[in-house]
């Protein structure tokens, strides 16, 4: 008798192992389909537009420096050649507003698609250059940037320094300019201008559009930064702010990052997307969700001033030798994509590389427009309960054999197990075409109906078939409920397993296992 029981349990355990291997093989199918979906998004990014990262606009002024050369050095023919640097002027106040329309229908490849956004981004800036420069120099911010004392000493002892005011530009960095359908409109002190693409890039590693500053703005900027002695007798007020408004149309996919610069930066974002994932080095200070979408507001003074230091020191290296790494990545799940901080990638030596910077990554924050119902993630989570579902089904069959003296052949166990596996085979392709809950309902109903019909003949009665079918349908419903409660799924799963074990113990409490034939 006990030998028969042992053989039956061994067969059931072997079938469970066999189905566990099948589930592992099907998991590789999910991974493969996920890879296909990701490759389509990468292809769309290569052919159309990437995720975007925007650096808050700033003013760049080229400077040419001729180092002092002693007569002895001149004889040795070791005089350092002239080099160029970029002086940066950041806004004293910036208010950025982003209105984005997010859609999953813009870019599609068959059943796959990329989540895209397009909208208008505006910057309202006020420049008080002297005040801004002083605040940056005196800010108490801890950074990993190298000491620039050598840079200041070199410039202080330079034989000649020429600031090219006539080449001063307003820089509007956008990581992928393909996402700018029309050149932005810029208003500088009530004068409307159109941005242009740079004929020769003066910023290494940055893609940007620029605006040549009007003559009166240059004069005002020069008065602020140099404190001209005759300013009081001129029509230029050295303390007057320069007001700039930028209207930038922008498109991109997956996520949008913003790099804050200046002394006082605020960002406000509105979108119709209902499931944003906030990314980067700072969460929103305030956020609000509604039926129309969400709104979020950021303000982080530390990151802003730190970016000023990183960016200005990088651009002040000689002959454009430092690269600003500004680009957004598709993989929002990798925290390294956004940088734990604006880190110096590498230091290089050289007599003309003042500051010894090779590449920097700036701090950013923003939002990823992740799909709330990722069918591959949800299917993978559903499969975590697959083995439990098979064990409960086989256990129910076994209890019918023990309690009701039914005889069920191992082949019948095998066929029921195959029907349970078919649920997952149906679920994934259906979920790629329709909503996940609809796919779950169709696949679950089909499998429950098939197994319920089959158990009518296996268990030899309508009542037993109805009981088994009701148990199976309840399991599918319970598992779906656990899946949809993301914050409590582990707790609910543990409670569910405890209840199942309690039910089995209650049902078998009076069974004398030594007398089972």
């Amino acid at each position: 008798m006990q030998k028969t029981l042992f053989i039956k349990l061994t067969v059931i355990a072997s079938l469970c192992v066999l189905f566990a291997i099948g589930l592992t093989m099907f998991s590789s199918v999910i991974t493969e389909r996920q890879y296909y979906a990701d490759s389509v998004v990468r292809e769309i990014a290569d052919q159309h537009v990437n995720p975007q990262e925007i650096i808050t606009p700033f003013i760049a002024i080229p400077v040419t420096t001729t180092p002092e050369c002693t007569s002895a050095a001149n004889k040795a023919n070791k005089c350092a050649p002239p080099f160029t640097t970029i002086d940066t002027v950041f806004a004293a106040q910036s208010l950025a507003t982003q209105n984005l329309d997010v859609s999953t229908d813009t870019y599609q490849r068959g059943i796959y698609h990329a989540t895209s956004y397009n909208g208008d981004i505006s910057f309202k800036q006020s420049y008080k250059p002297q005040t801004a420069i002083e605040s940056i120099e005196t800010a108490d911010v801890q950074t990993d940037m190298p000491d620039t004392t050598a840079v200041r000493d070199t410039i202080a002892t330079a034989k000649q320094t020429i600031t090219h005011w006539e080449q001063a530009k307003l820089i509007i960095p956008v990581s992928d300019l393909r996402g700018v359908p029309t050149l932005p409109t810029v208003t500088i002190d009530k004068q409307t201008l159109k941005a242009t693409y740079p004929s020769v890039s003066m910023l290494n590693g940055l893609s940007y559009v620029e605006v040549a500053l009007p003559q009166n703005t240059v004069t005002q900027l020069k008065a602020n930064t140099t404190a001209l002695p005759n300013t009081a007798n001129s029509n230029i007020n050295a303390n007057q702010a320069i007001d700039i408004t930028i209207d930038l149309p922008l498109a991109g996919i997956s996520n949008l990052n913003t790099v804050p610069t200046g002394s006082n930066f605020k960002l406000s974002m509105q979108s119709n997307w209902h499931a944003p994932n906030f990314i980067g080095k700072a969460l929103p200070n305030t956020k609000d969700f509604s039926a129309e979408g969400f709104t979020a507001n950021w303000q982080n003074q530390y990151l802003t001033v730190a970016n000023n230091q990183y960016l200005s020191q990088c651009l002040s290296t000689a002959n454009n030798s430092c690269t600003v790494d500004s680009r957004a990545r598709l993989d929002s799940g990798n925290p390294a994509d956004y940088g734990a901080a604006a880190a110096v990638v590498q230091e290089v030596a050289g007599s003309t590389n003042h500051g010894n910077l090779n590449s920097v990554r700036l701090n950013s924050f923003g939002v990823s427009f992740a799909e709330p119902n990722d069918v591959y993630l949800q299917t993978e989570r559903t499969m975590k309960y697959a083995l439990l579902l098979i064990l409960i089904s086989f256990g129910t069959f076994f209890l019918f054999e023990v309690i009701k003296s039914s005889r069920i052949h191992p082949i019948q166990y095998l066929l029921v197990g195959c029907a349970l596996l078919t649920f997952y085979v149906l679920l994934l392709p259906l979920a790629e075409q329709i909503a996940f809950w609809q796919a779950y309902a169709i696949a679950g109903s089909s499998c429950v109906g098939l197994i319920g019909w089959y158990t009518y003949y296996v268990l030899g009665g309508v009542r037993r078939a109805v009981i088994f079918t009701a148990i199976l349908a309840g399991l599918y419903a319970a598992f779906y409920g656990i899946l949809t409660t993301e914050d409590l799924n582990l707790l609910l799963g543990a409670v569910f397993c405890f209840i199942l074990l309690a039910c089995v113990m209650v049902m078998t409490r009076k069974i004398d296992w030594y007398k089972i034939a």
Side-chain angles (χ1 to χ4, degrees):
M1 295 180 182
Q2 296 302 315
K3 183 178 180 181
T4 303
L5 177 62
F6 177 77
I7 293 175
K8 176 69 70 172
L9 292 176
T10 302
V11 170
I12 294 175
S14 300
L15 289 175
C16 289
V17 172
L18 179 64
F19 288 126
I21 296 174
L23 289 171
T24 303
M25 295 176 63
F26 187 71
S27 295
S28 64
V29 175
I30 298 177
T31 303
E32 182 181 358
R33 301 293 288 184
Q34 177 72 72
Y35 174 79
Y36 288 156
D38 293 341
S39 64
V40 168
V41 175
R42 289 192 295 269
E43 178 186 344
I44 292 172
D46 291 338
Q47 295 180 351
H48 295 280
V49 63
N50 284 292
Q52 296 284 14
E53 180 168 279
I54 303 171
I55 299 178
T56 306
F58 59 92
I59 294 175
I61 308 168
V63 177
T64 300
T65 301
T66 303
E68 184 178 12
C69 186
T70 63
S71 58
N74 195 16
K75 290 180 181 179
N77 202 20
K78 294 182 180 179
C79 294
F83 58 88
T84 60
T85 59
I86 301 295
D87 279 354
T88 51
V89 180
F90 299 104
Q93 186 172 4
S94 294
L95 175 60
T97 303
Q98 300 175 355
N99 294 289
L100 303 175
D101 180 23
V102 184
S103 173
T104 59
D105 300 328
T106 305
Y107 302 112
Q108 291 186 331
R109 296 288 188 278
I111 63 174
Y112 303 111
H113 60 267
T115 304
S116 65
Y117 57 85
N118 62 80
D120 298 318
I121 298 176
S122 65
F123 292 92
K124 293 183 179 179
Q125 296 184 303
S126 177
Y127 284 81
K128 295 180 180 179
Q130 192 63 36
T131 304
I133 292 173
E134 290 175 357
S135 65
I136 293 172
E137 290 178 348
T138 58
D140 183 16
V141 177
Q142 298 296 326
T143 70
D144 297 327
M145 300 294 287
D147 186 12
T148 56
T149 303
V151 180
R152 293 193 295 269
D153 292 343
T154 301
I155 296 176
T157 61
K159 183 177 181 180
Q160 186 180 19
T161 300
I162 302 175
T163 303
H164 302 281
W165 295 101
E166 72 284 357
Q167 299 180 25
K169 308 283 188 182
L170 176 67
I171 305 299
I172 309 172
V174 179
S175 62
D176 191 347
L177 289 174
R178 294 178 300 174
V180 182
T182 59
L183 289 171
T185 302
V186 179
T187 302
I188 303 178
D189 287 336
K190 300 181 180 180
Q191 183 176 351
T192 302
L193 304 170
K194 201 73 173 179
T196 60
Y197 297 106
S199 55
V200 178
S201 178
M202 62 178 176
L203 305 179
N204 189 19
L206 282 181
S207 60
Y208 62 93
V209 293
E210 63 184 18
V211 177
L213 298 182
Q215 183 58 45
N216 61 331
T217 303
V218 172
T219 305
Q220 177 66 45
L221 183 66
K222 187 175 181 180
N224 275 287
T225 55
T226 60
L228 297 177
N230 60 345
T231 299
N233 300 324
S234 66
N235 294 325
I236 299 299
N237 183 359
N239 295 319
Q240 182 179 353
I242 301 171
D243 295 324
I244 297 179
T245 301
I246 303 165
D247 295 319
L248 174 68
L250 188 71
I253 63 172
S254 296
N255 52 68
L256 172 62
N257 297 338
T258 302
V259 176
T261 65
S263 297
N264 187 10
F265 177 87
K266 296 180 181 180
L267 169 62
S268 175
M269 178 185 292
Q270 298 87 36
S271 174
N272 63 333
W273 195 246
H274 297 84
N277 179 27
F278 299 111
I279 56 178
K281 285 300 296 177
L283 293 175
N285 299 92
T286 61
K287 55 183 180 290
D288 180 62
F289 300 90
S290 65
E292 290 75 27
F294 76 94
T295 60
N297 298 279
W298 286 263
Q299 185 176 17
N300 191 297
Q301 189 67 12
Y302 171 82
L303 297 182
T304 304
V305 177
N307 283 338
N308 297 343
Q309 295 178 340
Y310 289 123
L311 185 58
S312 60
Q313 292 185 56
C314 180
L315 297 183
S316 66
T317 56
N319 299 323
N320 202 18
S321 58
C322 177
T323 300
V324 180
D325 181 12
S326 177
R327 62 186 185 275
R329 276 75 167 182
L330 282 170
D331 184 13
S332 61
N334 185 1
D337 286 345
Y338 305 101
V344 179
V345 178
Q346 183 181 1
E347 292 185 4
V348 295
S351 60
T352 60
N353 189 13
H354 302 280
N356 294 330
L357 297 181
N358 186 40
S359 180
V360 296
R361 175 75 177 157
L362 302 177
N363 297 293
S364 65
F365 45 71
V367 63
S368 171
F369 301 103
E371 292 191 56
N373 297 317
D374 187 324
V375 297
Y376 305 104
L377 177 61
Q378 290 192 325
T379 303
E380 185 178 354
R381 291 175 59 193
T382 303
M383 288 189 62
K384 293 180 180 179
Y385 299 96
L387 192 58
L388 179 61
L389 181 65
I390 292 174
L391 285 173
I392 294 174
S393 301
F394 285 179
T396 304
F397 267 14
F398 181 73
L399 289 177
F400 272 116
E401 285 195 80
V402 172
I403 298 175
K404 300 297 183 181
S405 300
S406 300
R407 299 187 63 184
I408 304 176
H409 196 274
I411 294 297
Q412 294 172 320
Y413 278 93
L414 177 64
L415 291 175
V416 171
C418 290
L420 293 173
L421 285 182
T422 304
F423 165 77
Y424 301 98
V425 178
L426 289 172
L427 178 62
L428 179 58
L430 284 173
E432 289 181 328
Q433 304 288 341
I434 57 179
F436 183 82
W437 71 270
Q438 295 175 334
Y440 192 97
I442 293 174
S445 300
S446 301
C447 292
V448 169
L450 176 62
I451 296 174
W453 169 81
Y454 184 67
T455 53
Y456 168 74
Y457 298 95
V458 173
L459 300 177
V462 175
R463 184 171 177 270
R464 295 178 181 181
V466 169
I467 293 175
F468 183 82
T469 303
I471 293 174
L472 191 59
L475 289 175
Y476 278 116
F479 289 152
Y480 183 79
I482 294 174
L483 291 173
T484 54
T485 54
E486 296 183 2
D487 296 333
L488 299 174
N489 55 4
L490 180 60
L491 175 61
L492 293 178
V495 172
F496 183 71
C497 290
F498 178 81
I499 293 174
L500 284 177
L501 178 61
C503 292
V504 173
M505 295 176 71
V506 170
M507 293 174 62
T508 60
R509 67 188 185 279
K510 295 182 179 181
I511 295 178
D512 187 352
W513 296 99
Y514 286 103
K515 295 182 179 180
I516 295 177

